[in-house]
């Protein structure tokens, strides 16, 4: 009996010490939450939108089980201190690619030609979303693996499966107690192993890294062996396979919905490039309006809406306690839709807003972070940004685009599907006619 009393007293003591320790912390703001599942039941199929709505009546964040979402840009400034406690761990990162082969890939190897029917067939309705997807997948595979297609590997199928599994709702992310029953994770690991074992190590980038130390200044540490090179290639391929395509697809959709912006962009291309040739990579730095169009598209349609973070140590931000191991979801979509930053016309596609607001999108300006920020910022940012600008420029410069008969710009369905990326739910269909001379 006395041992039971001692045990009860010990539990009470531990709880009261913990309570005292935590009492000075402010309670995280958020809507009323249920025990264990928090606000999970309120999230729905488009979590970027429902989390934004849930957090509108509060300051910053919304707890969902063990995960939290953050929708405001200001606290991010705190997260990105040099000793960033919210970094998702992992191996040191290689900076992938300069994009110098990109122009050759798109222009000289005729990639843009694959986008549309031959000139003689123009006027037909084209599934432009599928075409963009095919071309960008080819470009990414070419840039990463050194070859476009290899019939021995169904990379497309494998990448799609991995993306589906990683992006799908995962109960254990929100209720860690259920982690051990997490069949989804086991399936995902299995696919990863298949993908790793089937990825061909053909790229000169990969071969040049083989057996080199991971930290050149310290020759005695680990080297990049075949397995780690394959793992890096898998990460690059899954991250690159359709991200630029999703962004090009949204940009073209917005341009069709906004004919004045389309006209202004075609005028810029006509003035800078002329009507006698296609766009080359070296032209991009002269195409200021094109860059504003792409920035505006990434603001309204961030391809990866939830860059994930895990808190590696107990942390206090503005008086709020973030326990170690918390998953933090940075809601990049909500940041781009924040009226306080983007004014009342936040929902309008208006590239001109960047004339006055010279915002950087490479992770230095927390009002717009489509490539994430900090140590784990997108490794293919330069390649991604160049691919998007070049493919959009080629399409808009080479073709006039119209909606199928009877459709008006406002009829375009802009519904999204939530996953690891945020693509259009339905493909965009357009009639294209050739625009260049000759
Ligand atoms: C428009 C195109 C792209 C967009 C919008 C985009 C966006 C992103 C975002 C938001 C992240 C998460 C960053 C963070 O957590 O802070 C990310 C990570 C990553 N991206 Fe991209 N990406 C694009 C294209 C690419 C391409 C073409 C590649 C490869 C060549 C690539 C490779 C990666 C890799 C490897 C990571 C993981 C980085 C790490 O964990 O250290 N991305 N990307």
């Amino acid at each position: 009996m006395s041992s039971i009393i001692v045990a009860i007293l010990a539990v009470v003591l531990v709880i009261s010490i913990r309570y005292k320790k935590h009492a000075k912390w402010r309670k995280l703001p958020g809507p009323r939450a249920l025990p264990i599942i928090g606000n999970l039941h309120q999230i729905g199929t488009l979590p970027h939108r429902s989390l934004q709505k849930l957090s509108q009546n509060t300051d910053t964040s919304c707890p969902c089980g063990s995960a939290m979402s953050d929708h405001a840009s200001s606290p991010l400034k705190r997260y990105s201190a040099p000793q960033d406690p919210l970094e998702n761990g992992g191996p040191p990162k290689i900076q992938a690619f300069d994009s110098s082969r990109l122009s050759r890939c798109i222009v000289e190897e005729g990639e843009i030609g694959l986008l549309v029917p031959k000139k003689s067939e123009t006027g037909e309705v084209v599934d432009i979303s599928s075409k963009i997807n095919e071309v960008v997948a080819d470009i990414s595979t070419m840039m990463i693996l050194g070859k476009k297609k290899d019939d021995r590997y169904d990379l497309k199928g494998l990448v799609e499966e991995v993306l589906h599994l990683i992006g799908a709702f995962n109960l254990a992310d929100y209720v860690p107690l259920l982690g051990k029953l997490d069949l989804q994770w086991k399936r995902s690991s299995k696919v990863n192993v298949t993908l790793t074992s089937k990825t061909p190590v053909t790229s000169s980038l990969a071969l040049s890294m083989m057996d080199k130390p991971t930290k050149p200044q310290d020759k005695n540490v680990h080297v990049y062996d075949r397995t780690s090179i394959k793992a890096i290639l898998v990460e690059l391929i899954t991250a690159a396979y359709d991200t630029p395509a999703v962004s090009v697809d949204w940009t073209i959709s917005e341009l069709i919905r906004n004919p004045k912006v389309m006209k202004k962009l075609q005028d810029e291309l006509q003035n800078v490039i002329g009507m006698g040739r296609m766009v080359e990579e070296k032209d991009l730095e002269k195409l200021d309006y094109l860059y504003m169009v792409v920035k505006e598209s990434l603001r309204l349609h961030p391809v990866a809406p939830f860059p994930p973070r895990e808190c590696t140590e107990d942390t206090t931000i503005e008086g709020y306690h973030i326990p170690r191991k918390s998953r933090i979801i940075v809601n990049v979509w909500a940041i781009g839709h924040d009226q306080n930053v983007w004014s009342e016309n936040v929902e309008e596609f208006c590239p001109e807003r960047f004339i006055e607001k010279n915002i950087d999108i490479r992770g230095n300006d927390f009002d717009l972070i489509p490539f994430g920020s900090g140590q784990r910022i997108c490794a293919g940012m330069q390649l991604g940004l160049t691919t998007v600008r070049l493919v959009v420029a080629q399409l808009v410069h080479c073709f006039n685009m119209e909606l199928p008969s009877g459709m008006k710009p406002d009829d375009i369905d802009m519904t999204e599907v939530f996953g690891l990326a945020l693509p259009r739910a339905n493909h965009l269909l357009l009639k294209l006619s050739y625009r260049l001379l000759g």
Side-chain angles (χ1 to χ4, degrees):
M1 185 65 177
S2 60
S3 57
I4 295 176
I5 294 173
V6 172
I8 292 173
L9 284 177
V11 171
V12 171
L13 189 69
V14 169
I15 291 175
S16 63
I17 290 172
R18 279 185 71 100
Y19 179 79
K20 241 188 172 168
K21 195 171 145 205
H22 293 204
K24 60 180 185 298
W25 291 320
R26 291 160 71 194
K27 193 172 167 291
L28 271 169
R32 211 179 162 78
L34 295 177
I36 304 180
I37 63 164
N39 302 91
L40 209 53
H41 58 297
Q42 288 169 285
I43 285 183
T45 53
L46 296 175
H48 54 299
R49 289 179 185 267
S50 36
L51 284 172
Q52 184 211 33
K53 248 192 211 138
L54 281 174
S55 55
Q56 255 159 7
N57 299 329
T58 64
D59 265 357
T60 50
S61 37
C62 168
C64 309
S66 75
M68 270 176 269
S69 104
D70 202 307
H71 71 282
S73 60
S74 54
L76 290 176
K77 292 171 187 149
R78 307 288 300 273
Y79 297 172
S80 301
Q83 293 296 315
D84 185 347
L86 298 189
E87 282 301 345
N88 51 358
K93 185 156 78 180
I94 55 156
Q95 266 305 326
F97 311 108
D98 79 278
S99 57
S100 53
R101 276 160 53 200
L102 195 58
S103 265
R104 191 171 61 83
C105 199
I106 295 183
V107 179
E108 290 171 26
E109 299 198 7
E111 286 294 346
I112 198 76
L114 299 177
L115 281 171
V116 287
K118 292 183 191 73
K119 259 192 281 177
S120 56
E121 296 162 2
T122 55
E124 288 181 14
V125 175
V126 176
D127 178 347
I128 196 78
S129 303
S130 291
K131 298 276 184 189
I132 290 169
N133 229 293
E134 260 171 56
V135 168
V136 171
D138 273 359
I139 292 171
S140 300
T141 319
M142 174 82 179
M143 297 295 295
I144 295 168
L145 298 179
K147 52 166 75 176
K148 267 194 275 181
K149 279 202 179 79
D150 192 328
D151 293 337
R152 286 171 301 161
Y153 314 104
D154 175 22
L155 273 182
K156 188 171 165 12
L158 285 166
V159 169
E160 275 170 7
E161 191 162 356
V162 171
L163 287 177
H164 172 72
L165 285 166
I166 303 173
F169 174 80
N170 186 359
L171 193 58
D173 283 348
Y174 300 91
V175 188
L177 281 175
L178 301 181
K180 294 226 159 34
L181 304 173
D182 188 2
L183 300 175
Q184 186 190 34
W185 175 245
K186 286 195 185 116
R187 256 180 84 200
S188 162
S189 314
K190 207 166 139 198
V191 176
N192 248 331
V193 170
T194 322
L195 190 52
T196 311
S197 62
K198 289 198 174 173
T199 302
V201 180
T202 52
S203 85
S204 50
L205 167 81
L207 293 172
S208 70
M209 285 164 60
M210 190 80 82
D211 298 328
K212 300 263 165 58
T214 50
K215 289 184 186 162
Q217 68 278 21
D218 185 355
K219 302 254 182 309
N220 295 323
V221 290
H222 306 290
V223 293
Y224 287 113
D225 58 11
R226 212 175 171 79
T227 310
S228 44
I229 300 267
K230 283 189 171 192
I232 290 169
L233 289 178
V234 168
E235 189 183 3
L236 286 173
I237 292 168
T238 35
Y241 211 70
D242 62 357
T243 37
V246 170
S247 184
V248 173
D249 209 11
W250 282 121
T251 311
I252 298 294
S253 310
E254 288 291 2
L255 287 169
I256 300 290
R257 272 160 49 97
N258 294 277
K260 280 190 188 148
V261 179
M262 172 70 100
K263 166 91 176 59
K264 204 165 159 182
L265 181 56
Q266 285 191 323
D267 287 350
E268 177 180 68
L269 287 159
Q270 186 165 343
N271 293 336
V272 175
I273 316 289
M275 297 305 282
R277 69 170 175 91
M278 290 166 85
V279 186
E280 290 170 30
E281 196 181 329
K282 66 176 163 42
D283 301 317
L284 292 181
E285 63 192 46
K286 291 174 255 163
L287 298 168
D288 296 337
Y289 193 64
L290 169 71
Y291 199 14
M292 290 188 242
V293 165
V294 169
K295 277 185 182 177
E296 180 68 343
S297 171
L298 284 165
R299 175 184 76 79
L300 282 173
H301 309 285
V303 175
F306 283 177
R309 290 291 183 272
E310 184 176 295
C311 199
T312 53
E313 58 193 61
D314 277 353
T315 308
T316 307
I317 295 175
E318 292 174 8
Y320 298 115
H321 177 61
I322 319 277
R324 195 174 86 87
K325 291 255 169 226
S326 301
R327 305 276 174 91
I328 311 287
I329 296 165
V330 179
N331 192 345
V332 170
W333 183 90
I335 291 172
H337 288 74
D338 185 347
Q339 272 200 16
N340 298 324
V341 177
W342 301 104
S343 88
E344 270 158 30
N345 70 350
V346 70
E347 295 301 331
E348 266 172 47
F349 186 77
C350 174
E352 284 72 14
R353 70 176 83 241
F354 290 103
I355 295 173
E356 283 168 19
K357 218 174 169 61
N358 189 18
I359 282 186
D360 168 84
I361 53 168
R362 292 160 191 261
N364 300 315
D365 211 324
F366 296 104
D367 290 339
L368 190 57
I369 47 167
F371 295 96
S373 185
Q375 285 175 43
R376 312 249 42 126
I377 193 170
C378 173
M381 179 168 59
Q382 186 57 33
L383 176 63
L385 206 43
T386 309
T387 308
V388 174
R389 285 190 294 166
L390 201 48
V391 175
V392 169
Q394 296 292 20
L395 274 171
V396 171
H397 190 45
C398 294
F399 302 99
N400 284 318
M401 305 180 201
E402 272 175 61
L403 287 165
S405 315
M407 253 184 98
K408 295 192 208 73
D410 284 345
D411 297 338
I412 299 179
D413 177 6
M414 297 294 275
T415 315
E416 309 139 332
V417 193
F418 184 84
L420 203 59
L422 199 59
R424 292 178 51 82
N426 295 306
H427 284 195
L428 182 66
L429 305 179
L430 292 175
K431 282 202 287 190
L432 308 187
S433 54
Y434 202 65
R435 195 169 162 262
L436 294 188
L437 300 173

mmCIF file of all heavy atoms in Angstrom, residues 93 97 144 235-236 239-240 243-244 247 298 303-304 307 309 370-373 376-380 383-384 388, ligand 1:
data_model
loop_
_atom_site.group_PDB
_atom_site.id
_atom_site.type_symbol
_atom_site.label_atom_id
_atom_site.label_comp_id
_atom_site.label_asym_id
_atom_site.label_seq_id
_atom_site.Cartn_x
_atom_site.Cartn_y
_atom_site.Cartn_z
ATOM 1 N N LYS A 93 24.143 18.907 -47.923
ATOM 2 C CA LYS A 93 23.502 19.004 -49.228
ATOM 3 C C LYS A 93 24.506 19.341 -50.318
ATOM 4 O O LYS A 93 25.391 20.145 -50.113
ATOM 5 C CB LYS A 93 22.449 20.100 -49.150
ATOM 6 C CG LYS A 93 21.671 20.185 -50.407
ATOM 7 C CD LYS A 93 20.346 20.783 -50.175
ATOM 8 C CE LYS A 93 20.403 22.272 -50.041
ATOM 9 N NZ LYS A 93 19.106 22.811 -49.820
ATOM 10 N N PHE A 97 23.814 21.253 -60.075
ATOM 11 C CA PHE A 97 23.706 21.806 -61.426
ATOM 12 C C PHE A 97 23.927 23.280 -61.612
ATOM 13 O O PHE A 97 23.381 24.113 -60.947
ATOM 14 C CB PHE A 97 22.300 21.569 -61.994
ATOM 15 C CG PHE A 97 21.901 20.183 -61.832
ATOM 16 C CD1 PHE A 97 20.942 19.861 -60.907
ATOM 17 C CD2 PHE A 97 22.531 19.205 -62.538
ATOM 18 C CE1 PHE A 97 20.600 18.570 -60.718
ATOM 19 C CE2 PHE A 97 22.194 17.914 -62.356
ATOM 20 C CZ PHE A 97 21.220 17.579 -61.442
ATOM 21 N N ILE A 144 19.755 15.373 -65.070
ATOM 22 C CA ILE A 144 20.236 14.656 -63.889
ATOM 23 C C ILE A 144 20.966 13.370 -64.274
ATOM 24 O O ILE A 144 22.032 13.066 -63.751
ATOM 25 C CB ILE A 144 19.062 14.362 -62.931
ATOM 26 C CG1 ILE A 144 18.515 15.683 -62.396
ATOM 27 C CG2 ILE A 144 19.512 13.497 -61.754
ATOM 28 C CD1 ILE A 144 17.191 15.561 -61.687
ATOM 29 N N GLU A 235 16.715 11.366 -54.924
ATOM 30 C CA GLU A 235 16.134 12.574 -54.328
ATOM 31 C C GLU A 235 15.984 13.659 -55.390
ATOM 32 O O GLU A 235 14.952 14.321 -55.489
ATOM 33 C CB GLU A 235 17.001 13.073 -53.164
ATOM 34 C CG GLU A 235 16.279 14.179 -52.408
ATOM 35 C CD GLU A 235 17.065 14.796 -51.277
ATOM 36 O OE1 GLU A 235 18.237 14.421 -51.086
ATOM 37 O OE2 GLU A 235 16.501 15.667 -50.596
ATOM 38 N N LEU A 236 17.029 13.808 -56.213
ATOM 39 C CA LEU A 236 16.973 14.843 -57.248
ATOM 40 C C LEU A 236 15.867 14.553 -58.254
ATOM 41 O O LEU A 236 15.107 15.440 -58.630
ATOM 42 C CB LEU A 236 18.322 14.934 -57.982
ATOM 43 C CG LEU A 236 19.461 15.584 -57.204
ATOM 44 C CD1 LEU A 236 20.765 15.461 -57.975
ATOM 45 C CD2 LEU A 236 19.163 17.057 -56.923
ATOM 46 N N ALA A 239 12.453 15.118 -56.779
ATOM 47 C CA ALA A 239 12.185 16.544 -56.525
ATOM 48 C C ALA A 239 12.046 17.331 -57.820
ATOM 49 O O ALA A 239 11.396 18.368 -57.852
ATOM 50 C CB ALA A 239 13.304 17.141 -55.674
ATOM 51 N N ALA A 240 12.678 16.829 -58.909
ATOM 52 C CA ALA A 240 12.723 17.629 -60.147
ATOM 53 C C ALA A 240 11.721 17.175 -61.176
ATOM 54 O O ALA A 240 11.462 17.886 -62.131
ATOM 55 C CB ALA A 240 14.124 17.528 -60.760
ATOM 56 N N THR A 243 8.087 19.252 -60.709
ATOM 57 C CA THR A 243 7.903 20.584 -60.095
ATOM 58 C C THR A 243 7.910 21.722 -61.128
ATOM 59 O O THR A 243 6.989 22.545 -61.134
ATOM 60 C CB THR A 243 8.955 20.853 -58.994
ATOM 61 O OG1 THR A 243 10.200 20.294 -59.379
ATOM 62 C CG2 THR A 243 8.543 20.303 -57.663
ATOM 63 N N PRO A 244 8.909 21.781 -62.044
ATOM 64 C CA PRO A 244 8.846 22.893 -63.005
ATOM 65 C C PRO A 244 7.619 22.786 -63.909
ATOM 66 O O PRO A 244 7.034 23.809 -64.282
ATOM 67 C CB PRO A 244 10.140 22.743 -63.825
ATOM 68 C CG PRO A 244 11.042 21.894 -62.999
ATOM 69 C CD PRO A 244 10.138 20.974 -62.231
ATOM 70 N N SER A 247 4.576 24.269 -62.339
ATOM 71 C CA SER A 247 4.646 25.726 -62.331
ATOM 72 C C SER A 247 4.368 26.306 -63.726
ATOM 73 O O SER A 247 3.650 27.307 -63.858
ATOM 74 C CB SER A 247 6.029 26.145 -61.822
ATOM 75 O OG SER A 247 6.077 27.512 -61.718
ATOM 76 N N LEU A 298 4.264 31.802 -59.023
ATOM 77 C CA LEU A 298 4.732 31.018 -57.863
ATOM 78 C C LEU A 298 4.139 31.540 -56.544
ATOM 79 O O LEU A 298 4.001 30.815 -55.569
ATOM 80 C CB LEU A 298 6.261 31.038 -57.788
ATOM 81 C CG LEU A 298 6.968 30.131 -58.805
ATOM 82 C CD1 LEU A 298 8.446 30.473 -58.909
ATOM 83 C CD2 LEU A 298 6.790 28.661 -58.459
ATOM 84 N N VAL A 303 4.466 25.500 -55.866
ATOM 85 C CA VAL A 303 4.432 24.101 -56.283
ATOM 86 C C VAL A 303 4.500 23.167 -55.082
ATOM 87 O O VAL A 303 3.838 22.145 -55.019
ATOM 88 C CB VAL A 303 5.615 23.840 -57.241
ATOM 89 C CG1 VAL A 303 5.691 22.372 -57.597
ATOM 90 C CG2 VAL A 303 5.469 24.699 -58.484
ATOM 91 N N ALA A 304 5.333 23.533 -54.114
ATOM 92 C CA ALA A 304 5.465 22.704 -52.904
ATOM 93 C C ALA A 304 4.957 23.550 -51.728
ATOM 94 O O ALA A 304 5.712 24.323 -51.152
ATOM 95 C CB ALA A 304 6.913 22.308 -52.707
ATOM 96 N N PRO A 307 6.811 23.156 -47.179
ATOM 97 C CA PRO A 307 8.151 22.647 -46.846
ATOM 98 C C PRO A 307 8.166 22.192 -45.385
ATOM 99 O O PRO A 307 7.768 22.959 -44.514
ATOM 100 C CB PRO A 307 9.066 23.857 -47.037
ATOM 101 C CG PRO A 307 8.289 24.836 -47.806
ATOM 102 C CD PRO A 307 6.830 24.550 -47.581
ATOM 103 N N ARG A 309 9.469 20.871 -41.635
ATOM 104 C CA ARG A 309 10.569 21.052 -40.689
ATOM 105 C C ARG A 309 10.295 20.198 -39.468
ATOM 106 O O ARG A 309 9.142 19.968 -39.115
ATOM 107 C CB ARG A 309 10.688 22.525 -40.232
ATOM 108 C CG ARG A 309 11.164 23.478 -41.291
ATOM 109 C CD ARG A 309 12.615 23.198 -41.628
ATOM 110 N NE ARG A 309 13.161 24.142 -42.593
ATOM 111 C CZ ARG A 309 13.078 23.984 -43.904
ATOM 112 N NH1 ARG A 309 12.442 22.949 -44.412
ATOM 113 N NH2 ARG A 309 13.620 24.867 -44.718
ATOM 114 N N PRO A 370 8.826 30.306 -52.474
ATOM 115 C CA PRO A 370 8.379 29.102 -53.196
ATOM 116 C C PRO A 370 9.453 28.022 -53.265
ATOM 117 O O PRO A 370 9.137 26.869 -53.566
ATOM 118 C CB PRO A 370 8.045 29.620 -54.592
ATOM 119 C CG PRO A 370 8.824 30.880 -54.734
ATOM 120 C CD PRO A 370 8.946 31.469 -53.376
ATOM 121 N N PHE A 371 10.720 28.361 -53.003
ATOM 122 C CA PHE A 371 11.782 27.347 -52.997
ATOM 123 C C PHE A 371 12.218 27.024 -51.576
ATOM 124 O O PHE A 371 13.255 26.416 -51.365
ATOM 125 C CB PHE A 371 12.980 27.821 -53.825
ATOM 126 C CG PHE A 371 12.656 27.974 -55.287
ATOM 127 C CD1 PHE A 371 12.305 29.213 -55.810
ATOM 128 C CD2 PHE A 371 12.653 26.876 -56.133
ATOM 129 C CE1 PHE A 371 11.983 29.355 -57.156
ATOM 130 C CE2 PHE A 371 12.331 26.999 -57.469
ATOM 131 C CZ PHE A 371 11.985 28.243 -57.985
ATOM 132 N N GLY A 372 11.439 27.428 -50.585
ATOM 133 C CA GLY A 372 11.820 27.212 -49.198
ATOM 134 C C GLY A 372 12.911 28.190 -48.797
ATOM 135 O O GLY A 372 13.144 29.212 -49.467
ATOM 136 N N SER A 373 13.600 27.872 -47.703
ATOM 137 C CA SER A 373 14.623 28.782 -47.202
ATOM 138 C C SER A 373 15.527 28.030 -46.234
ATOM 139 O O SER A 373 15.178 26.950 -45.772
ATOM 140 C CB SER A 373 13.940 29.952 -46.498
ATOM 141 O OG SER A 373 14.895 30.895 -46.112
ATOM 142 N N ARG A 376 17.963 23.814 -45.905
ATOM 143 C CA ARG A 376 17.361 22.789 -46.767
ATOM 144 C C ARG A 376 16.584 23.410 -47.923
ATOM 145 O O ARG A 376 15.687 22.791 -48.483
ATOM 146 C CB ARG A 376 16.468 21.844 -45.958
ATOM 147 C CG ARG A 376 17.105 21.345 -44.735
ATOM 148 C CD ARG A 376 17.462 19.918 -44.687
ATOM 149 N NE ARG A 376 18.034 19.264 -45.812
ATOM 150 C CZ ARG A 376 19.193 18.587 -45.741
ATOM 151 N NH1 ARG A 376 19.904 18.605 -44.642
ATOM 152 N NH2 ARG A 376 19.631 17.938 -46.774
ATOM 153 N N ILE A 377 16.976 24.601 -48.309
ATOM 154 C CA ILE A 377 16.334 25.239 -49.466
ATOM 155 C C ILE A 377 16.481 24.340 -50.694
ATOM 156 O O ILE A 377 17.391 23.509 -50.754
ATOM 157 C CB ILE A 377 16.972 26.635 -49.703
ATOM 158 C CG1 ILE A 377 16.126 27.454 -50.667
ATOM 159 C CG2 ILE A 377 18.400 26.514 -50.194
ATOM 160 C CD1 ILE A 377 16.555 28.916 -50.749
ATOM 161 N N CYS A 378 15.582 24.498 -51.655
ATOM 162 C CA CYS A 378 15.580 23.660 -52.864
ATOM 163 C C CYS A 378 16.971 23.589 -53.500
ATOM 164 O O CYS A 378 17.586 24.615 -53.800
ATOM 165 C CB CYS A 378 14.586 24.252 -53.868
ATOM 166 S SG CYS A 378 14.632 23.452 -55.471
ATOM 167 N N ALA A 379 17.456 22.358 -53.719
ATOM 168 C CA ALA A 379 18.800 22.177 -54.276
ATOM 169 C C ALA A 379 18.825 22.451 -55.777
ATOM 170 O O ALA A 379 19.888 22.636 -56.357
ATOM 171 C CB ALA A 379 19.270 20.751 -54.007
ATOM 172 N N GLY A 380 17.639 22.451 -56.407
ATOM 173 C CA GLY A 380 17.606 22.659 -57.859
ATOM 174 C C GLY A 380 16.964 23.991 -58.219
ATOM 175 O O GLY A 380 16.420 24.141 -59.311
ATOM 176 N N LEU A 383 18.127 25.638 -61.508
ATOM 177 C CA LEU A 383 17.660 24.855 -62.658
ATOM 178 C C LEU A 383 16.137 24.979 -62.811
ATOM 179 O O LEU A 383 15.625 25.181 -63.921
ATOM 180 C CB LEU A 383 18.057 23.387 -62.474
ATOM 181 C CG LEU A 383 17.555 22.431 -63.547
ATOM 182 C CD1 LEU A 383 18.127 22.771 -64.909
ATOM 183 C CD2 LEU A 383 17.898 20.988 -63.188
ATOM 184 N N GLY A 384 15.409 24.881 -61.687
ATOM 185 C CA GLY A 384 13.949 24.946 -61.730
ATOM 186 C C GLY A 384 13.477 26.284 -62.281
ATOM 187 O O GLY A 384 12.632 26.353 -63.176
ATOM 188 N N VAL A 388 11.503 26.875 -65.848
ATOM 189 C CA VAL A 388 10.158 27.467 -65.906
ATOM 190 C C VAL A 388 10.163 28.697 -66.818
ATOM 191 O O VAL A 388 9.329 28.829 -67.727
ATOM 192 C CB VAL A 388 9.659 27.855 -64.493
ATOM 193 C CG1 VAL A 388 8.328 28.603 -64.568
ATOM 194 C CG2 VAL A 388 9.507 26.621 -63.618
HETATM 195 C C1 LIG B 1 9.864 25.405 -60.056
HETATM 196 C C2 LIG B 1 10.575 24.386 -59.655
HETATM 197 C C3 LIG B 1 10.815 23.982 -58.224
HETATM 198 C C4 LIG B 1 10.216 24.426 -57.069
HETATM 199 C C5 LIG B 1 9.105 25.474 -56.910
HETATM 200 C C6 LIG B 1 10.846 23.723 -55.966
HETATM 201 C C7 LIG B 1 10.531 23.902 -54.634
HETATM 202 C C8 LIG B 1 11.135 23.227 -53.598
HETATM 203 C C9 LIG B 1 10.810 23.417 -52.201
HETATM 204 C C10 LIG B 1 9.750 24.383 -51.642
HETATM 205 C C11 LIG B 1 11.601 22.603 -51.490
HETATM 206 C C12 LIG B 1 11.635 22.477 -49.952
HETATM 207 C C13 LIG B 1 12.655 23.497 -49.449
HETATM 208 C C14 LIG B 1 12.674 23.670 -47.935
HETATM 209 O O1 LIG B 1 12.332 22.734 -47.229
HETATM 210 O O2 LIG B 1 13.044 24.785 -47.468
HETATM 211 C C15 LIG B 1 12.443 21.882 -52.416
HETATM 212 C C16 LIG B 1 13.401 20.954 -52.045
HETATM 213 C C17 LIG B 1 14.218 20.304 -52.941
HETATM 214 N N1 LIG B 1 14.283 20.498 -54.304
HETATM 215 FE FE1 LIG B 1 13.100 21.714 -55.382
HETATM 216 N N2 LIG B 1 11.797 22.870 -56.471
HETATM 217 C C18 LIG B 1 11.818 23.000 -57.838
HETATM 218 C C19 LIG B 1 12.645 22.340 -58.737
HETATM 219 C C20 LIG B 1 13.644 21.475 -58.378
HETATM 220 C C21 LIG B 1 14.562 20.833 -59.310
HETATM 221 C C22 LIG B 1 14.569 21.068 -60.820
HETATM 222 C C23 LIG B 1 15.402 20.042 -58.557
HETATM 223 C C24 LIG B 1 16.560 19.155 -58.961
HETATM 224 C C25 LIG B 1 17.304 19.330 -59.988
HETATM 225 C C26 LIG B 1 15.006 20.181 -57.180
HETATM 226 C C27 LIG B 1 15.633 19.537 -56.129
HETATM 227 C C28 LIG B 1 15.256 19.662 -54.820
HETATM 228 C C29 LIG B 1 15.862 18.899 -53.732
HETATM 229 C C30 LIG B 1 16.979 17.854 -53.864
HETATM 230 C C31 LIG B 1 15.216 19.304 -52.563
HETATM 231 C C32 LIG B 1 15.478 18.811 -51.135
HETATM 232 C C33 LIG B 1 16.530 19.729 -50.520
HETATM 233 C C34 LIG B 1 16.959 19.286 -49.114
HETATM 234 O O3 LIG B 1 16.185 18.660 -48.404
HETATM 235 O O4 LIG B 1 18.078 19.624 -48.734
HETATM 236 N N3 LIG B 1 13.948 21.054 -57.103
HETATM 237 N N4 LIG B 1 12.139 22.273 -53.693
#
